[in-house]
Amino acid sequence: MTGLYDLHTHTTLSDGEMLPLELIRRMSVLGYTTVAIADHVDTATSPLVLPTADAVRESARLFGVRFLPAVEITHVPPEEIPALARRARMEGAEIVVVHGETVVEPVPAGTNHAACGCADVDILAHPGLITDEDAALAAANHVALEITSRGGHNRTNGHVVRAAQRAGCRLVVNSDAHAPHDLLSADAKMAVARGAGLSAREAEEVLALSIDELVR
């Protein structure tokens, strides 16, 4: 069992407000044992973000946190997602997140489909009104769908849960934190899961994710 996890957070390396170690320290105080920093990247920036984030691994260990270097591929043409996900993996990303087709941003149509069909993608973040076809593709390729607490992005959490349950694909609950007030306590994280439509038992199973089943 992983313990309390968050696999989608942001720092000053993209559009977050916290330095990487401030984020990790704050999360350790909240009881997190596994944290991925998934700053936004595109075709120009992944080589700049990943080595910097990975430099905090030992400091995170001293705070009692398993740190996972990650990226969130954001607003990239769908045709370029597979190659960028592969490149990020080769550059050291242990978790590859794709910024899904949220209903509050102009994400290119086809992004969900490209991410769900990509063997190098681990999580499709806030996938909006994801289709059953794409959810089934995610299940086949072991891509987890995200339940998010992020304002705006969380409008479709209930739809995402129902699509995931029909398709039999994995769910994860993440904060998409950009600032200290975005970080979730264990109780708040449970509330996000339950509020998305999961039963208490289902929520407990999602929150008890074995990280080693997700990391490629």
Side-chain angles (χ1 to χ4, degrees):
M1 185 181 298
T2 299
L4 200 57
Y5 70 85
D6 197 323
L7 305 177
H8 183 183
T9 66
H10 296 280
T11 73
T12 53
L13 295 175
S14 60
D15 60 346
E17 296 181 11
M18 293 173 282
L19 292 168
L21 273 181
E22 179 190 357
L23 169 68
I24 290 168
R25 175 57 184 163
R26 287 179 179 273
M27 299 198 81
S28 72
V29 170
L30 288 170
Y32 282 81
T33 57
T34 302
V35 175
I37 293 176
D39 275 304
H40 298 285
V41 299
D42 60 14
T43 51
T45 59
S46 67
L48 305 175
V49 167
L50 278 164
T52 306
D54 193 40
V56 305
R57 191 190 298 269
E58 175 60 15
S59 301
R61 185 189 68 78
L62 293 171
F63 283 143
V65 173
R66 177 182 181 184
F67 167 70
L68 300 173
V71 296
E72 183 183 10
I73 296 171
T74 304
H75 289 283
V76 168
E79 297 84 355
E80 295 184 325
I81 287 173
L84 183 53
R86 166 50 44 178
R87 192 177 93 187
R89 186 78 70 193
M90 294 177 67
E91 290 167 351
E94 294 185 39
I95 296 287
V96 175
V97 181
V98 171
H99 186 295
E101 294 179 44
T102 173
V103 295
V104 294
E105 291 186 33
V107 178
T111 294
N112 284 356
H113 189 74
C116 291
C118 182
D120 288 304
V121 171
D122 301 298
I123 299 170
L124 178 59
H126 39 68
L129 297 171
I130 188 170
T131 65
D132 284 345
E133 175 192 8
D134 286 342
L137 192 60
N141 287 288
H142 309 290
V143 177
L145 302 185
E146 180 185 79
I147 304 169
T148 180
S149 61
R150 186 77 174 159
H153 295 326
N154 59 8
R155 295 176 186 177
T156 57
N157 277 348
H159 172 84
V160 172
V161 165
R162 290 189 294 274
Q165 290 175 329
R166 287 192 295 268
C169 62
R170 177 182 286 125
L171 289 164
V172 293
V173 179
N174 292 322
S175 68
D176 193 0
H178 287 65
H181 64 261
D182 297 326
L183 301 177
L184 299 173
S185 67
D187 287 345
K189 190 160 184 163
M190 174 61 77
V192 172
R194 294 297 309 280
L198 294 175
S199 69
R201 180 186 58 80
E202 290 167 339
E204 288 171 359
E205 289 177 356
V206 170
L207 298 184
L209 167 76
S210 171
I211 193 65
D212 291 321
E213 294 180 7
L214 185 66
V215 174
R216 307 286 173 115

Coordinates of all heavy atoms in Angstrom, one line a residue, residues 1-4 33-34 66 204-205 207-213:
M1 N 0.8 -1.2 0.0 CA 0.0 0.0 0.0 C 0.9 1.2 0.0 O 1.9 1.3 0.7 CB -0.9 0.0 1.2 CG -1.9 1.1 1.2 SD -3.0 1.1 2.7 CE -3.8 -0.5 2.4
T2 N 0.5 2.3 -0.8 CA 1.3 3.5 -0.9 C 1.2 4.4 0.3 O 2.2 5.0 0.7 CB 0.8 4.2 -2.2 OG1 1.0 3.4 -3.3 CG2 1.6 5.5 -2.4
G3 N 0.1 4.4 0.9 CA -0.2 5.5 1.9 C -0.7 6.7 1.2 O -1.1 6.6 0.0
L4 N -0.8 7.8 1.8 CA -1.4 9.0 1.2 C -0.5 9.5 0.1 O 0.7 9.7 0.2 CB -1.5 10.1 2.3 CG -2.5 11.3 2.0 CD1 -3.9 10.7 1.8 CD2 -2.5 12.2 3.2
T33 N 3.1 10.2 1.9 CA 4.3 9.4 1.7 C 4.8 9.3 0.3 O 5.9 8.8 0.1 CB 4.0 8.0 2.3 OG1 2.9 7.4 1.6 CG2 3.7 8.1 3.8
T34 N 3.9 9.6 -0.7 CA 4.3 9.6 -2.1 C 3.8 10.8 -2.8 O 2.6 11.1 -2.7 CB 3.7 8.3 -2.8 OG1 4.1 7.2 -2.1 CG2 4.1 8.3 -4.2
R66 N 8.4 9.6 -0.6 CA 8.9 9.0 -1.8 C 8.6 10.0 -2.9 O 7.4 10.3 -3.2 CB 8.2 7.7 -2.1 CG 8.6 7.0 -3.4 CD 7.9 5.7 -3.6 NE 8.3 5.1 -4.9 CZ 7.8 4.0 -5.4 NH1 6.8 3.4 -4.7 NH2 8.2 3.5 -6.5
E204 N -12.1 4.1 -0.6 CA -10.9 3.6 0.2 C -10.0 2.8 -0.7 O -8.8 2.9 -0.6 CB -11.4 2.7 1.3 CG -12.1 3.5 2.5 CD -12.7 2.6 3.5 OE1 -12.7 1.4 3.3 OE2 -13.3 3.1 4.5
E205 N -10.5 2.1 -1.7 CA -9.7 1.3 -2.6 C -8.9 2.2 -3.5 O -7.7 2.0 -3.7 CB -10.6 0.4 -3.4 CG -11.2 -0.8 -2.7 CD -12.1 -1.6 -3.5 OE1 -12.3 -1.3 -4.7 OE2 -12.6 -2.7 -3.0
L207 N -8.0 5.3 -2.8 CA -7.0 6.1 -2.0 C -5.9 5.2 -1.5 O -4.9 5.7 -1.1 CB -7.7 6.8 -0.9 CG -8.8 7.8 -1.3 CD1 -9.3 8.5 0.0 CD2 -8.2 8.8 -2.2
A208 N -6.1 3.9 -1.6 CA -5.1 2.9 -1.1 C -4.3 2.4 -2.3 O -3.7 1.3 -2.3 CB -5.7 1.8 -0.4
L209 N -4.3 3.1 -3.4 CA -3.5 2.7 -4.6 C -2.1 2.2 -4.3 O -1.4 2.9 -3.5 CB -3.4 3.9 -5.5 CG -2.5 3.8 -6.7 CD1 -3.1 3.0 -7.8 CD2 -2.2 5.2 -7.3
S210 N -1.7 1.1 -4.9 CA -0.4 0.7 -4.8 C 0.4 1.4 -5.9 O 0.2 1.1 -7.1 CB -0.3 -0.9 -5.0 OG 1.1 -1.3 -5.1
I211 N 1.3 2.3 -5.5 CA 2.0 3.0 -6.5 C 2.8 2.2 -7.4 O 3.0 2.5 -8.6 CB 2.9 4.1 -5.8 CG1 3.4 5.1 -6.9 CG2 4.1 3.5 -5.1 CD1 2.3 6.0 -7.5
D212 N 3.3 1.1 -7.0 CA 4.1 0.2 -7.8 C 3.3 -0.5 -8.9 O 3.9 -1.0 -9.9 CB 4.9 -0.8 -6.9 CG 5.9 -0.2 -6.1 OD1 6.6 0.7 -6.5 OD2 6.0 -0.6 -4.9
E213 N 2.0 -0.5 -8.8 CA 1.2 -1.0 -9.9 C 1.0 0.1 -11.0 O 0.7 -0.3 -12.1 CB -0.2 -1.4 -9.3 CG -0.2 -2.6 -8.4 CD -1.6 -2.9 -7.9 OE1 -2.5 -2.3 -8.4 OE2 -1.7 -3.8 -7.0

